[in-house]
Amino acid sequence: MGVCDAIRHNAPVGKPTAMSAPHLPKVAGIDPMVPVSTHTAAPTEGIPSAPGAFIQDRLAGWVSDLTTLHELTERLAGTSTLDSALHELLVAGAALVGAARGLLVLEPADGRGPSRTIGLGLSHADLGHIETVPRSATAYGRFLDGLPDTGAPLASPDILGDPGLDPGCREVAARLGYAASYTHPLATGAAEAAGATGPNATARTTGRLGAAVWLYDEPAEPLERQCHLVGVYVRYAAEHLARLLELERARADAVALAEELLPSRLPRIPGVRLAARRRAGPGAGGDWYDALPLPDNALGLAIGSVGGSGPAALAAMGRLRAGLRAYAVMEGEDPVAVLSDLELLLRMTEPSAAATALYAYCEPDRRTIVLAGAGHTPPLVTGERRTEFVETTLSAPLGMLSCWEAPSVEFAPRPGETVLFYTDGLLRRTGDTRDRAFARLHAAAAGVPKVLRQDPGAVADHVLRTVLPADGTDRSAATEDVAVLAARFD
Protein backbone atom coordinates (compact mmCIF):
# COMPACT_ATOMS: atom_id res chain seq x y z
CA MET A 1 0.00 0.00 0.00
CA GLY A 2 1.71 3.14 -1.19
CA VAL A 3 1.77 6.52 0.49
CA CYS A 4 2.17 9.89 -1.22
CA ASP A 5 5.74 11.14 -0.99
CA ALA A 6 6.64 14.39 0.77
CA ILE A 7 5.15 17.26 -1.15
CA ARG A 8 7.38 19.03 -3.63
CA HIS A 9 5.65 22.22 -4.67
CA ASN A 10 7.43 22.27 -8.01
CA ALA A 11 6.30 18.78 -9.01
CA PRO A 12 4.81 18.96 -12.52
CA VAL A 13 1.15 18.09 -12.70
CA GLY A 14 1.42 16.03 -15.83
CA LYS A 15 4.14 13.64 -14.61
CA PRO A 16 2.77 10.32 -13.26
CA THR A 17 4.13 8.90 -10.02
CA ALA A 18 5.93 5.60 -9.92
CA MET A 19 3.93 2.59 -8.66
CA SER A 20 4.63 -1.05 -8.00
CA ALA A 21 1.47 -2.32 -9.71
CA PRO A 22 1.97 -5.07 -12.32
CA HIS A 23 0.65 -2.77 -15.04
CA LEU A 24 1.01 0.99 -15.27
CA PRO A 25 -2.21 2.62 -14.00
CA LYS A 26 -3.47 5.87 -15.33
CA VAL A 27 -2.86 9.03 -13.33
CA ALA A 28 -5.86 10.71 -11.72
CA GLY A 29 -6.36 14.32 -12.69
CA ILE A 30 -8.16 17.32 -11.25
CA ASP A 31 -9.63 18.22 -14.60
CA PRO A 32 -11.30 20.61 -15.08
CA MET A 33 -10.65 22.40 -11.78
CA VAL A 34 -6.85 22.38 -11.94
CA PRO A 35 -5.92 22.25 -15.63
CA VAL A 36 -2.68 20.66 -16.72
CA SER A 37 -0.55 23.03 -18.76
CA THR A 38 0.89 21.81 -22.06
CA HIS A 39 4.12 23.79 -21.46
CA THR A 40 5.27 21.37 -18.76
CA ALA A 41 5.68 18.54 -21.26
CA ALA A 42 9.16 17.45 -22.31
CA PRO A 43 10.69 19.72 -24.99
CA THR A 44 10.75 18.55 -28.56
CA GLU A 45 14.03 16.92 -29.55
CA GLY A 46 16.51 19.50 -30.73
CA ILE A 47 14.47 22.47 -29.53
CA PRO A 48 15.53 23.78 -26.10
CA SER A 49 12.82 24.76 -23.69
CA ALA A 50 12.41 28.38 -22.74
CA PRO A 51 13.18 28.92 -19.02
CA GLY A 52 10.99 32.01 -18.90
CA ALA A 53 8.02 30.16 -20.33
CA PHE A 54 8.55 27.30 -17.88
CA ILE A 55 8.62 29.65 -14.88
CA GLN A 56 5.62 31.56 -16.17
CA ASP A 57 3.70 28.35 -16.63
CA ARG A 58 4.67 27.16 -13.16
CA LEU A 59 3.43 30.41 -11.64
CA ALA A 60 0.18 30.05 -13.56
CA GLY A 61 -0.20 26.57 -12.08
CA TRP A 62 0.25 27.90 -8.56
CA VAL A 63 -2.31 30.63 -9.19
CA SER A 64 -4.71 28.00 -10.49
CA ASP A 65 -4.18 25.89 -7.38
CA LEU A 66 -4.77 28.84 -5.06
CA THR A 67 -7.89 29.84 -6.98
CA THR A 68 -9.24 26.30 -6.76
CA LEU A 69 -8.61 26.05 -3.01
CA HIS A 70 -10.11 29.48 -2.45
CA GLU A 71 -13.31 28.54 -4.26
CA LEU A 72 -13.64 25.20 -2.50
CA THR A 73 -12.97 26.58 0.97
CA GLU A 74 -15.46 29.39 0.39
CA ARG A 75 -18.11 26.86 -0.55
CA LEU A 76 -17.30 24.82 2.53
CA ALA A 77 -17.37 27.88 4.77
CA GLY A 78 -20.86 28.62 3.46
CA THR A 79 -22.22 25.37 4.93
CA SER A 80 -23.99 25.81 8.25
CA THR A 81 -24.95 22.23 9.10
CA LEU A 82 -22.81 19.20 9.74
CA ASP A 83 -24.47 17.11 7.02
CA SER A 84 -24.03 19.76 4.33
CA ALA A 85 -20.37 20.25 5.30
CA LEU A 86 -19.67 16.51 5.14
CA HIS A 87 -21.23 16.29 1.69
CA GLU A 88 -19.32 19.34 0.44
CA LEU A 89 -16.02 17.93 1.74
CA LEU A 90 -16.61 14.61 -0.01
CA VAL A 91 -17.51 16.21 -3.34
CA ALA A 92 -14.65 18.73 -3.29
CA GLY A 93 -12.10 16.09 -2.31
CA ALA A 94 -13.23 13.85 -5.17
CA ALA A 95 -12.68 16.71 -7.61
CA LEU A 96 -9.21 17.43 -6.20
CA VAL A 97 -7.97 13.85 -6.45
CA GLY A 98 -9.85 13.04 -9.66
CA ALA A 99 -12.08 10.31 -8.21
CA ALA A 100 -15.63 9.48 -9.22
CA ARG A 101 -16.96 8.01 -5.98
CA GLY A 102 -16.21 7.95 -2.30
CA LEU A 103 -17.39 7.67 1.27
CA LEU A 104 -16.84 9.64 4.44
CA VAL A 105 -17.02 8.23 7.95
CA LEU A 106 -17.55 10.66 10.82
CA GLU A 107 -16.58 9.02 14.10
CA PRO A 108 -15.11 11.44 16.67
CA ALA A 109 -12.41 9.88 18.82
CA ASP A 110 -13.93 11.20 22.05
CA GLY A 111 -16.90 8.88 21.57
CA ARG A 112 -19.48 11.62 22.09
CA GLY A 113 -20.80 11.35 18.54
CA PRO A 114 -22.53 11.90 16.32
CA SER A 115 -21.34 9.08 14.05
CA ARG A 116 -22.33 9.07 10.39
CA THR A 117 -21.37 7.42 7.13
CA ILE A 118 -22.23 9.13 3.85
CA GLY A 119 -21.47 8.11 0.28
CA LEU A 120 -20.79 9.81 -3.03
CA GLY A 121 -22.03 7.76 -5.96
CA LEU A 122 -22.69 4.87 -3.57
CA SER A 123 -26.05 3.54 -2.45
CA HIS A 124 -26.86 2.39 1.06
CA ALA A 125 -26.41 -1.19 -0.12
CA ASP A 126 -22.95 -0.32 -1.49
CA LEU A 127 -21.96 1.22 1.83
CA GLY A 128 -23.22 -1.90 3.55
CA HIS A 129 -20.99 -4.08 1.36
CA ILE A 130 -17.96 -1.91 2.18
CA GLU A 131 -18.70 -2.15 5.89
CA THR A 132 -18.59 -5.96 5.72
CA VAL A 133 -14.80 -5.74 5.36
CA PRO A 134 -13.09 -5.90 8.78
CA ARG A 135 -12.17 -2.40 9.94
CA SER A 136 -8.60 -3.45 10.67
CA ALA A 137 -8.19 -4.39 6.99
CA THR A 138 -9.20 -0.94 5.71
CA ALA A 139 -7.16 2.24 5.79
CA TYR A 140 -9.99 4.32 7.20
CA GLY A 141 -10.79 1.68 9.82
CA ARG A 142 -7.21 1.55 11.04
CA PHE A 143 -7.17 5.30 11.39
CA LEU A 144 -10.50 5.46 13.22
CA ASP A 145 -9.39 2.77 15.63
CA GLY A 146 -6.11 4.56 16.32
CA LEU A 147 -3.92 1.64 15.29
CA PRO A 148 -0.15 2.15 14.94
CA ASP A 149 1.34 3.51 11.72
CA THR A 150 -1.81 5.43 10.84
CA GLY A 151 -2.46 9.12 10.56
CA ALA A 152 -1.08 9.87 7.09
CA PRO A 153 -3.03 9.51 3.83
CA LEU A 154 -2.86 6.07 2.22
CA ALA A 155 -3.16 5.19 -1.46
CA SER A 156 -4.13 1.79 -2.85
CA PRO A 157 -3.38 2.27 -6.59
CA ASP A 158 -4.37 -1.25 -7.69
CA ILE A 159 -6.68 -3.03 -5.26
CA LEU A 160 -7.41 -6.05 -7.42
CA GLY A 161 -3.75 -6.60 -8.23
CA ASP A 162 -2.37 -6.10 -4.71
CA PRO A 163 -1.94 -9.50 -2.99
CA GLY A 164 -1.11 -7.80 0.28
CA LEU A 165 -4.64 -6.52 0.78
CA ASP A 166 -7.30 -8.44 2.66
CA PRO A 167 -9.27 -10.72 0.28
CA GLY A 168 -12.45 -9.08 1.47
CA CYS A 169 -11.21 -5.70 0.17
CA ARG A 170 -10.60 -7.14 -3.29
CA GLU A 171 -13.94 -8.97 -3.29
CA VAL A 172 -15.95 -5.87 -2.40
CA ALA A 173 -13.98 -3.76 -4.89
CA ALA A 174 -14.73 -6.22 -7.67
CA ARG A 175 -18.41 -6.33 -6.72
CA LEU A 176 -18.82 -2.55 -6.64
CA GLY A 177 -16.57 -1.89 -9.63
CA TYR A 178 -13.77 0.25 -8.21
CA ALA A 179 -10.08 -0.53 -8.67
CA ALA A 180 -8.17 1.99 -6.53
CA SER A 181 -8.66 4.18 -3.47
CA TYR A 182 -7.14 7.13 -1.68
CA THR A 183 -7.85 7.53 2.04
CA HIS A 184 -7.32 10.75 3.94
CA PRO A 185 -7.83 11.13 7.71
CA LEU A 186 -9.88 13.95 9.19
CA ALA A 187 -8.31 15.37 12.32
CA THR A 188 -7.86 18.65 14.10
CA GLY A 189 -4.50 19.81 15.43
CA ALA A 190 -0.96 20.21 14.13
CA ALA A 191 1.16 17.60 12.38
CA GLU A 192 4.80 16.89 12.94
CA ALA A 193 5.65 17.38 9.29
CA ALA A 194 4.27 20.15 7.11
CA GLY A 195 1.35 18.80 5.14
CA ALA A 196 1.46 15.45 6.96
CA THR A 197 1.27 13.71 3.60
CA GLY A 198 4.75 12.32 3.12
CA PRO A 199 5.82 8.76 3.98
CA ASN A 200 7.83 9.98 6.97
CA ALA A 201 5.18 12.38 8.29
CA THR A 202 3.77 11.32 11.66
CA ALA A 203 0.49 13.04 12.41
CA ARG A 204 0.28 14.47 15.91
CA THR A 205 -3.37 15.48 16.04
CA THR A 206 -5.40 16.64 18.95
CA GLY A 207 -8.59 14.90 17.86
CA ARG A 208 -9.63 12.34 15.24
CA LEU A 209 -12.92 13.16 13.57
CA GLY A 210 -13.13 10.54 10.85
CA ALA A 211 -11.77 9.62 7.46
CA ALA A 212 -12.60 10.15 3.79
CA VAL A 213 -12.06 7.54 1.08
CA TRP A 214 -12.16 8.35 -2.62
CA LEU A 215 -12.59 5.52 -5.13
CA TYR A 216 -11.35 5.21 -8.72
CA ASP A 217 -13.02 3.10 -11.38
CA GLU A 218 -9.61 2.08 -12.78
CA PRO A 219 -6.14 1.63 -11.22
CA ALA A 220 -4.91 5.12 -10.38
CA GLU A 221 -3.08 7.17 -7.80
CA PRO A 222 -3.22 10.93 -7.20
CA LEU A 223 -0.18 13.00 -8.09
CA GLU A 224 1.98 14.57 -5.43
CA ARG A 225 0.55 17.96 -6.27
CA GLN A 226 -2.97 16.62 -5.87
CA CYS A 227 -2.04 15.07 -2.53
CA HIS A 228 -0.80 18.44 -1.38
CA LEU A 229 -3.95 20.26 -2.52
CA VAL A 230 -6.35 17.82 -0.91
CA GLY A 231 -4.22 17.80 2.24
CA VAL A 232 -4.47 21.57 2.60
CA TYR A 233 -8.20 21.47 1.92
CA VAL A 234 -8.88 18.62 4.36
CA ARG A 235 -6.99 20.33 7.17
CA TYR A 236 -9.17 23.41 6.76
CA ALA A 237 -12.29 21.24 6.45
CA ALA A 238 -11.47 19.38 9.66
CA GLU A 239 -11.37 22.61 11.64
CA HIS A 240 -14.68 23.69 10.10
CA LEU A 241 -16.22 20.30 10.90
CA ALA A 242 -15.00 20.54 14.49
CA ARG A 243 -16.82 23.85 14.92
CA LEU A 244 -20.04 22.50 13.41
CA LEU A 245 -19.71 19.38 15.53
CA GLU A 246 -19.60 21.43 18.72
CA LEU A 247 -22.61 23.44 17.57
CA GLU A 248 -24.59 20.28 16.86
CA ARG A 249 -23.67 18.82 20.22
CA ALA A 250 -24.74 22.03 21.95
CA ARG A 251 -28.06 21.96 20.10
CA ALA A 252 -28.59 18.30 20.98
CA ASP A 253 -27.88 19.07 24.64
CA ALA A 254 -30.35 21.96 24.56
CA VAL A 255 -33.03 19.77 22.98
CA ALA A 256 -32.40 17.07 25.59
CA LEU A 257 -32.67 19.67 28.35
CA ALA A 258 -35.93 20.96 26.90
CA GLU A 259 -37.33 17.42 26.87
CA GLU A 260 -36.36 17.03 30.52
CA LEU A 261 -38.27 20.20 31.38
CA LEU A 262 -41.46 18.83 29.81
CA PRO A 263 -43.74 16.16 31.32
CA SER A 264 -42.23 12.68 31.17
CA ARG A 265 -45.74 11.25 30.79
CA LEU A 266 -49.26 12.58 30.54
CA PRO A 267 -51.90 11.86 33.21
CA ARG A 268 -54.73 9.40 32.68
CA ILE A 269 -58.11 10.91 33.43
CA PRO A 270 -61.41 9.07 32.78
CA GLY A 271 -63.29 10.51 29.84
CA VAL A 272 -60.31 12.05 28.04
CA ARG A 273 -57.21 10.77 26.28
CA LEU A 274 -54.10 12.91 25.82
CA ALA A 275 -51.17 12.99 23.42
CA ALA A 276 -48.35 15.47 22.90
CA ARG A 277 -45.86 16.06 20.12
CA ARG A 278 -42.90 18.41 19.98
CA ARG A 279 -40.64 19.29 17.06
CA ALA A 280 -37.57 21.08 18.32
CA GLY A 281 -35.92 23.68 16.11
CA PRO A 282 -32.12 23.85 15.87
CA GLY A 283 -32.11 26.84 18.21
CA ALA A 284 -33.86 24.94 21.02
CA GLY A 285 -36.59 27.47 21.70
CA GLY A 286 -38.97 27.78 24.62
CA ASP A 287 -42.17 26.08 23.42
CA TRP A 288 -43.77 23.97 26.15
CA TYR A 289 -46.92 22.14 27.18
CA ASP A 290 -48.28 20.63 30.38
CA ALA A 291 -51.14 18.52 31.69
CA LEU A 292 -51.89 17.95 35.36
CA PRO A 293 -54.68 16.22 37.24
CA LEU A 294 -56.76 18.43 39.54
CA PRO A 295 -59.29 17.66 42.30
CA ASP A 296 -62.75 16.26 41.41
CA ASN A 297 -61.39 14.44 38.31
CA ALA A 298 -60.65 17.75 36.64
CA LEU A 299 -57.74 18.35 34.31
CA GLY A 300 -55.55 21.36 33.68
CA LEU A 301 -54.09 21.77 30.19
CA ALA A 302 -51.52 24.41 29.32
CA ILE A 303 -49.36 25.35 26.39
CA GLY A 304 -47.09 28.31 25.79
CA SER A 305 -44.01 29.76 24.18
CA VAL A 306 -41.16 31.93 25.43
CA GLY A 307 -39.56 34.34 22.98
CA GLY A 308 -35.99 33.67 21.87
CA SER A 309 -33.95 30.51 21.93
CA GLY A 310 -31.06 28.90 23.71
CA PRO A 311 -30.35 28.51 27.44
CA ALA A 312 -32.12 31.74 28.42
CA ALA A 313 -35.37 30.68 26.73
CA LEU A 314 -35.12 27.20 28.27
CA ALA A 315 -34.61 28.65 31.74
CA ALA A 316 -37.60 30.98 31.34
CA MET A 317 -39.68 28.10 30.01
CA GLY A 318 -38.88 25.98 33.06
CA ARG A 319 -39.78 28.77 35.48
CA LEU A 320 -43.06 29.57 33.71
CA ARG A 321 -44.15 25.95 33.56
CA ALA A 322 -43.32 25.41 37.23
CA GLY A 323 -45.17 28.59 38.19
CA LEU A 324 -48.24 27.68 36.18
CA ARG A 325 -48.44 24.25 37.81
CA ALA A 326 -48.42 25.88 41.24
CA TYR A 327 -51.08 28.44 40.30
CA ALA A 328 -53.24 25.76 38.66
CA VAL A 329 -53.25 23.70 41.85
CA MET A 330 -54.24 26.74 43.92
CA GLU A 331 -56.84 28.34 41.62
CA GLY A 332 -57.14 26.10 38.59
CA GLU A 333 -60.88 26.62 38.23
CA ASP A 334 -60.24 30.23 37.23
CA PRO A 335 -57.98 30.34 34.15
CA VAL A 336 -57.93 34.16 34.24
CA ALA A 337 -56.50 34.15 37.76
CA VAL A 338 -53.89 31.55 36.76
CA LEU A 339 -52.64 33.65 33.85
CA SER A 340 -52.75 36.85 35.91
CA ASP A 341 -50.43 35.25 38.45
CA LEU A 342 -48.23 33.99 35.62
CA GLU A 343 -48.02 37.54 34.25
CA LEU A 344 -46.81 38.79 37.62
CA LEU A 345 -44.25 36.00 37.85
CA LEU A 346 -42.89 36.83 34.40
CA ARG A 347 -42.56 40.53 35.17
CA MET A 348 -40.77 39.77 38.45
CA THR A 349 -38.37 37.09 37.18
CA GLU A 350 -38.03 37.81 33.43
CA PRO A 351 -38.58 41.58 33.02
CA SER A 352 -37.20 41.64 29.48
CA ALA A 353 -38.90 38.48 28.24
CA ALA A 354 -42.16 38.05 26.37
CA ALA A 355 -44.21 34.89 26.36
CA THR A 356 -47.55 33.54 25.25
CA ALA A 357 -49.62 31.05 27.19
CA LEU A 358 -52.99 29.34 27.20
CA TYR A 359 -54.54 27.57 30.16
CA ALA A 360 -57.67 25.39 30.06
CA TYR A 361 -59.64 23.95 32.97
CA CYS A 362 -61.35 20.76 31.79
CA GLU A 363 -64.09 18.69 33.40
CA PRO A 364 -64.23 15.48 31.33
CA ASP A 365 -67.32 14.20 33.19
CA ARG A 366 -69.33 17.24 32.11
CA ARG A 367 -67.33 17.57 28.88
CA THR A 368 -66.70 21.28 29.40
CA ILE A 369 -63.60 23.43 28.98
CA VAL A 370 -63.01 26.91 30.40
CA LEU A 371 -59.92 28.60 28.99
CA ALA A 372 -58.05 31.87 28.83
CA GLY A 373 -55.20 32.87 26.56
CA ALA A 374 -52.44 35.45 26.69
CA GLY A 375 -51.49 36.27 23.12
CA HIS A 376 -51.67 32.59 22.21
CA THR A 377 -53.15 30.93 19.14
CA PRO A 378 -56.74 29.65 19.53
CA PRO A 379 -57.36 25.92 20.02
CA LEU A 380 -58.83 23.87 17.20
CA VAL A 381 -61.64 21.38 17.83
CA THR A 382 -62.05 18.65 15.23
CA GLY A 383 -64.38 15.69 14.80
CA GLU A 384 -66.41 13.89 12.20
CA ARG A 385 -69.06 16.63 12.00
CA ARG A 386 -67.09 19.83 12.54
CA THR A 387 -63.64 21.38 12.50
CA GLU A 388 -63.45 24.91 13.83
CA PHE A 389 -61.29 27.23 15.85
CA VAL A 390 -62.45 28.06 19.37
CA GLU A 391 -63.34 31.73 19.64
CA THR A 392 -61.08 33.29 22.27
CA THR A 393 -60.89 36.89 23.41
CA LEU A 394 -58.10 39.12 22.16
CA SER A 395 -55.30 39.52 24.66
CA ALA A 396 -51.69 40.67 24.76
CA PRO A 397 -48.80 38.27 25.43
CA LEU A 398 -47.49 37.94 28.95
CA GLY A 399 -45.00 40.65 29.82
CA MET A 400 -46.42 43.15 27.34
CA LEU A 401 -48.76 44.92 29.78
CA SER A 402 -48.33 46.10 33.35
CA CYS A 403 -51.33 44.02 34.34
CA TRP A 404 -52.83 41.28 32.26
CA GLU A 405 -56.46 40.26 32.39
CA ALA A 406 -58.85 39.04 29.72
CA PRO A 407 -62.20 37.25 30.10
CA SER A 408 -62.29 33.48 29.82
CA VAL A 409 -64.42 31.51 27.37
CA GLU A 410 -66.26 28.23 27.80
CA PHE A 411 -67.10 25.60 25.23
CA ALA A 412 -68.17 21.96 25.19
CA PRO A 413 -66.48 19.44 22.89
CA ARG A 414 -68.79 16.73 21.57
CA PRO A 415 -68.18 13.00 22.13
CA GLY A 416 -65.35 11.76 19.94
CA GLU A 417 -63.96 15.23 19.22
CA THR A 418 -60.31 16.17 19.69
CA VAL A 419 -59.15 19.59 20.87
CA LEU A 420 -55.75 20.62 19.52
CA PHE A 421 -53.62 23.10 21.47
CA TYR A 422 -50.54 24.23 19.52
CA THR A 423 -47.82 26.85 19.54
CA ASP A 424 -47.34 29.61 17.01
CA GLY A 425 -44.29 27.85 15.58
CA LEU A 426 -46.60 25.43 13.77
CA LEU A 427 -47.98 28.34 11.74
CA ARG A 428 -44.66 30.10 11.17
CA ARG A 429 -42.89 26.97 9.97
CA THR A 430 -45.21 26.75 6.99
CA GLY A 431 -43.69 29.89 5.49
CA ASP A 432 -47.17 31.09 4.55
CA THR A 433 -48.98 34.24 5.61
CA ARG A 434 -50.85 33.94 8.88
CA ASP A 435 -54.28 33.63 7.25
CA ARG A 436 -53.06 30.94 4.85
CA ALA A 437 -51.29 29.11 7.67
CA PHE A 438 -54.53 29.01 9.69
CA ALA A 439 -56.38 27.75 6.62
CA ARG A 440 -53.74 25.09 6.08
CA LEU A 441 -54.06 23.95 9.69
CA HIS A 442 -57.85 23.85 9.45
CA ALA A 443 -57.73 21.78 6.27
CA ALA A 444 -55.24 19.35 7.81
CA ALA A 445 -57.45 18.77 10.85
CA ALA A 446 -60.58 18.41 8.74
CA GLY A 447 -58.82 15.86 6.54
CA VAL A 448 -57.86 13.43 9.30
CA PRO A 449 -59.02 9.97 8.15
CA LYS A 450 -61.87 8.46 10.14
CA VAL A 451 -59.77 5.49 11.19
CA LEU A 452 -57.25 7.83 12.88
CA ARG A 453 -59.73 9.97 14.81
CA GLN A 454 -59.94 7.51 17.68
CA ASP A 455 -56.32 8.18 18.64
CA PRO A 456 -55.29 11.75 19.63
CA GLY A 457 -51.64 10.93 18.88
CA ALA A 458 -52.55 9.85 15.35
CA VAL A 459 -54.55 13.05 14.88
CA ALA A 460 -51.58 15.16 16.00
CA ASP A 461 -49.17 13.23 13.74
CA HIS A 462 -51.44 13.66 10.72
CA VAL A 463 -51.73 17.40 11.32
CA LEU A 464 -47.97 17.81 11.65
CA ARG A 465 -47.27 15.82 8.48
CA THR A 466 -49.85 17.79 6.53
CA VAL A 467 -49.12 21.29 7.79
CA LEU A 468 -45.33 21.27 7.81
CA PRO A 469 -43.47 21.47 4.47
CA ALA A 470 -43.49 18.18 2.59
CA ASP A 471 -39.72 18.22 1.96
CA GLY A 472 -39.02 18.22 5.69
CA THR A 473 -37.39 21.64 5.64
CA ASP A 474 -38.74 24.93 6.84
CA ARG A 475 -39.19 27.70 4.33
CA SER A 476 -39.09 30.32 7.08
CA ALA A 477 -36.67 30.85 9.94
CA ALA A 478 -35.52 27.42 11.06
CA THR A 479 -35.37 28.35 14.75
CA GLU A 480 -39.03 27.72 15.52
CA ASP A 481 -40.13 25.03 17.93
CA VAL A 482 -43.49 23.33 17.51
CA ALA A 483 -45.55 21.88 20.35
CA VAL A 484 -48.95 20.20 19.97
CA LEU A 485 -51.16 18.94 22.79
CA ALA A 486 -54.20 16.86 21.75
CA ALA A 487 -57.11 15.96 24.04
CA ARG A 488 -59.81 13.55 22.78
CA PHE A 489 -63.05 13.50 24.74
CA ASP A 490 -65.04 10.26 24.90
Side-chain angles (χ1 to χ4, degrees):
M1 185 176 293
V3 181
C4 286
D5 297 332
I7 302 304
R8 296 193 300 271
H9 293 278
N10 59 348
V13 178
K15 182 179 179 181
T17 56
M19 291 172 288
S20 58
H23 55 279
L24 183 64
K26 73 174 184 179
V27 176
I30 312 180
D31 183 56
M33 303 192 67
V34 183
V36 178
S37 174
T38 56
H39 294 289
T40 59
T44 306
E45 185 177 356
I47 302 178
S49 60
F54 177 81
I55 295 175
Q56 183 180 7
D57 188 70
R58 186 57 51 87
L59 291 174
W62 289 343
V63 171
S64 176
D65 292 347
L66 291 174
T67 302
T68 298
L69 287 175
H70 176 72
E71 293 175 353
L72 293 179
T73 53
E74 270 200 338
R75 285 167 50 185
L76 182 66
T79 58
S80 57
T81 64
L82 190 59
D83 288 334
S84 61
L86 292 174
H87 178 74
E88 180 63 33
L89 189 159
L90 193 56
V91 171
L96 288 173
V97 301
R101 293 180 288 175
L103 69 148
L104 190 151
V105 181
L106 179 69
E107 191 175 301
D110 57 12
R112 295 175 53 199
S115 298
R116 294 172 190 168
T117 300
I118 65 172
L120 174 65
L122 298 172
S123 64
H124 290 293
D126 296 337
L127 294 175
H129 286 308
I130 294 175
E131 291 176 348
T132 60
V133 180
R135 283 170 61 112
S136 58
T138 63
Y140 74 87
R142 289 177 59 82
F143 176 79
L144 295 175
D145 293 338
L147 298 180
D149 302 327
T150 58
L154 296 173
S156 295
D158 188 8
I159 295 177
L160 300 180
D162 189 349
L165 292 179
D166 185 277
C169 294
R170 297 197 298 271
E171 179 182 350
V172 171
R175 178 180 299 180
L176 301 185
Y178 62 86
S181 67
Y182 183 68
T183 304
H184 203 296
L186 303 176
T188 59
E192 194 73 31
T197 54
N200 299 321
T202 57
R204 180 169 50 83
T205 60
T206 60
R208 298 192 308 272
L209 299 179
V213 184
W214 292 284
L215 306 173
Y216 302 94
D217 294 338
E218 299 179 14
E221 182 176 10
L223 297 165
E224 296 179 26
R225 183 176 176 183
Q226 293 172 302
C227 293
H228 174 69
L229 289 176
V230 76
V232 173
Y233 177 79
V234 167
R235 285 196 297 278
Y236 172 83
E239 299 296 334
H240 183 65
L241 287 178
R243 291 189 292 269
L244 293 178
L245 186 63
E246 290 304 314
L247 286 176
E248 180 151 324
R249 287 174 173 177
R251 290 168 181 165
D253 292 341
V255 170
L257 177 59
E259 295 296 332
E260 291 295 326
L261 293 174
L262 296 175
S264 57
R265 63 178 183 176
L266 299 175
R268 295 184 178 181
I269 303 294
V272 63
R273 283 185 288 167
L274 303 175
R277 298 292 186 267
R278 189 173 188 272
R279 299 289 185 268
D287 286 17
W288 58 277
Y289 61 87
D290 204 354
L292 63 156
L294 298 174
D296 301 326
N297 291 327
L299 176 68
L301 300 177
I303 193 165
S305 177
V306 177
S309 61
L314 293 177
M317 178 188 80
R319 284 190 285 267
L320 282 183
R321 176 175 171 261
L324 185 139
R325 291 178 70 90
Y327 302 143
V329 170
M330 293 186 296
E331 46 194 7
E333 296 183 8
D334 186 356
V336 172
V338 171
L339 291 186
S340 296
D341 293 340
L342 200 63
E343 160 76 18
L344 179 61
L345 175 66
L346 185 69
R347 286 194 287 114
M348 297 296 293
T349 60
E350 308 286 342
S352 61
T356 65
L358 185 147
Y359 174 72
Y361 177 77
C362 309
E363 294 181 281
D365 294 340
R366 298 175 52 199
R367 207 177 300 111
T368 60
I369 298 178
V370 180
L371 63 86
H376 204 79
T377 51
L380 178 64
V381 58
T382 179
E384 294 184 10
R385 296 187 177 181
R386 66 168 177 171
T387 296
E388 58 188 34
F389 291 99
V390 178
E391 292 292 337
T392 58
T393 57
L394 296 176
S395 62
L398 299 174
M400 299 295 290
L401 300 175
S402 59
C403 181
W404 177 90
E405 185 171 344
S408 60
V409 296
E410 181 177 346
F411 73 100
R414 300 166 185 169
E417 290 186 332
T418 299
V419 181
L420 291 174
F421 305 90
Y422 55 93
T423 57
D424 199 44
L426 179 61
L427 303 177
R428 287 198 290 263
R429 274 202 182 191
T430 63
D432 295 330
T433 62
R434 196 166 183 83
D435 289 343
R436 293 188 62 182
F438 273 118
R440 189 170 179 171
L441 174 59
H442 184 278
V448 175
K450 183 177 180 180
V451 68
L452 299 180
R453 292 191 176 275
Q454 305 298 318
D455 182 4
V459 173
D461 290 335
H462 176 85
V463 169
L464 286 172
R465 286 194 305 267
T466 307
V467 173
L468 297 183
D471 57 1
T473 60
D474 301 338
R475 294 193 292 265
S476 62
T479 59
E480 300 291 343
D481 281 3
V482 174
V484 176
L485 180 61
R488 184 187 185 278
F489 289 83
D490 297 332

